[in-house]
Amino acid sequence: MKNNALKSIACAALLILPAVGMAQSYPKGSIDFIVPFSAGGGTDFASRVLTEKLSEQQGWNFVIENRGGAGGNIGLSQLARAKNDGQVMGMGQTSNMAINPTLYASIPYDSLNDFTPIALISSQPMVLAVNQNSAYEDFESLVAAARENPGKVSMSTPGSGTVSHLSMEVFSDQADVEFMHVPYPGAAQAVTDAIGGHVDFVTASLPSLLSHIRSGSLKALAVTSAERNAALPDVPSIAELGYEGFEASDWKAVVGPAGLPDDVVATFNTAINQALQDERLIETIESEGSTVEGGSADELEAYLQAEYERWAEAVSTSGATVE
């Protein structure tokens, strides 16, 4: 969700907000940080990079708790029930905060009311890629073929209801085209079948595709971020190819239980924005295809509301469900 407003807020945060130490009593011991996915994934990666930098800069001690399951719903449910004293925080992201509330028949939390927004951390685009022998030389030729043959150009994704799938539902609606969606149980098989030419193209997160693009087994045609990504500077964004305003990303944001005290929110937001200015942290996050974000808690609250609404519409349009 890269935009100039958030960038300016992120840079100004240290000047606007007081350098609160939030009284000497905070934090009272270790801070539990809930990651609603298993260790080793993108959300876990972002959480560990951030908390390590916060520990280094602020002297805070974090205990990472990986609580995976049900698309992130289990971990966020635990966070929603935690005491709102600032001793338990967690990492929300696109699926569990904006998509799952509509995708699942029921979830054990209200993503708009059961959490306190703290700060947006990072975002990464989806990438559309074809195999090295594909007849599609660029994004325009792929879309032209889909227009001429509705529902015939096949697209693999890591699964129905994923950001990869729904981002293309949003695009299809905007561009008035129809692809044949071929969902897989995860990115690995979706990518493998695209490399093998069993589907016309794959849409998946940048980290899932980056090594294959760099090796030449896949060719990237476009990214779904509003601007080009630093990891793929020669690959155009869909927006710049004539689809004005199109943007879809898998973002990550620190949130806490509902009702966190204002001084806790201010302290954490200030600390996070300071951490996100660190050159080494920026380099680490960008190395896996993400863009550092930042910004105020109020901006994140507005963004979460907007993302909730847009992905709810995308889920409804796609007809995707998870029992």
Side-chain angles (χ1 to χ4, degrees):
M1 145 342 235
K2 189 75 169 168
N3 61 54
N4 292 332
L6 274 182
K7 282 193 72 175
S8 57
I9 290 171
C11 295
L14 299 177
L15 301 175
I16 297 173
L17 292 175
V20 273
M22 212 178 74
Q24 308 251 331
S25 60
Y26 181 82
K28 297 177 180 178
S30 298
I31 300 169
D32 291 335
F33 197 89
I34 297 174
V35 180
F37 294 96
S38 59
T43 304
D44 179 70
F45 172 82
S47 299
R48 292 179 187 275
V49 169
L50 176 67
T51 54
E52 285 173 8
K53 182 55 62 177
L54 289 173
S55 295
E56 176 186 316
Q57 293 184 339
Q58 307 298 328
W60 299 341
N61 182 41
F62 290 89
V63 177
I64 299 289
E65 294 187 37
N66 293 95
R67 301 292 183 184
N73 295 350
I74 292 175
L76 276 197
S77 176
Q78 179 180 337
L79 178 60
R81 297 193 303 268
K83 188 175 181 180
N84 59 354
D85 59 359
Q87 294 299 130
V88 183
M89 297 290 188
M91 189 73 82
Q93 48 89 255
T94 314
S95 292
N96 52 41
M97 297 207 72
I99 293 176
N100 290 0
T102 307
L103 184 66
Y104 283 76
S106 65
I107 59 174
Y109 56 85
D110 181 331
S111 63
L112 294 180
N113 295 306
D114 287 349
F115 304 99
T116 300
I118 306 296
L120 188 67
I121 304 306
S122 62
S123 64
Q124 60 184 221
M126 303 302 106
V127 182
L128 284 70
V130 296
N131 75 10
Q132 57 185 339
N133 299 315
S134 174
Y136 302 116
E137 293 293 329
D138 50 34
F139 183 69
E140 291 91 335
S141 62
L142 179 71
V143 174
R147 282 210 176 96
E148 293 173 8
N149 304 281
K152 298 293 180 63
V153 176
S154 57
M155 167 189 71
S156 65
T157 73
S160 181
T162 60
V163 180
S164 298
H165 167 216
L166 295 176
S167 64
M168 295 312 296
E169 292 288 348
V170 173
F171 172 77
S172 295
D173 185 61
Q174 179 177 339
D176 193 24
V177 296
E178 181 185 352
F179 299 110
M180 178 197 299
H181 180 216
V182 184
Y184 288 84
Q189 191 60 45
V191 173
T192 297
D193 276 10
I195 293 173
H198 303 298
V199 292
D200 291 312
F201 73 104
V202 58
T203 301
S205 66
L206 198 158
S208 300
L209 300 177
L210 193 55
S211 64
H212 303 289
I213 293 168
R214 288 174 171 168
S215 72
S217 57
L218 286 175
K219 177 183 178 181
L221 301 184
V223 294
T224 64
S225 47
E227 302 170 357
R228 297 191 181 201
N229 185 276
L232 295 173
D234 297 327
V235 179
S237 69
I238 290 177
E240 77 177 82
L241 293 174
Y243 301 93
E244 185 177 352
F246 179 82
E247 178 184 7
S249 62
D250 183 12
W251 45 262
K252 294 164 182 63
V254 173
V255 296
L260 281 180
D262 290 343
D263 55 354
V264 173
V265 176
T267 296
F268 249 87
N269 181 272
T270 300
I272 287 173
N273 277 287
Q274 180 181 347
L276 295 181
Q277 301 303 308
D278 182 80
E279 291 185 6
R280 190 172 56 187
L281 179 144
I282 293 171
E283 183 178 321
T284 300
I285 289 179
E286 289 184 346
S287 70
E288 57 103 41
S290 292
T291 299
V292 171
E293 296 289 356
S296 73
D298 287 344
E299 282 286 339
L300 175 57
E301 182 175 17
Y303 183 64
L304 292 176
Q305 177 70 50
E307 286 288 279
Y308 183 100
E309 293 173 359
R310 79 177 298 219
W311 290 117
E313 182 178 351
V315 171
S316 178
T317 299
S318 72
T321 59
V322 174
E323 297 300 328

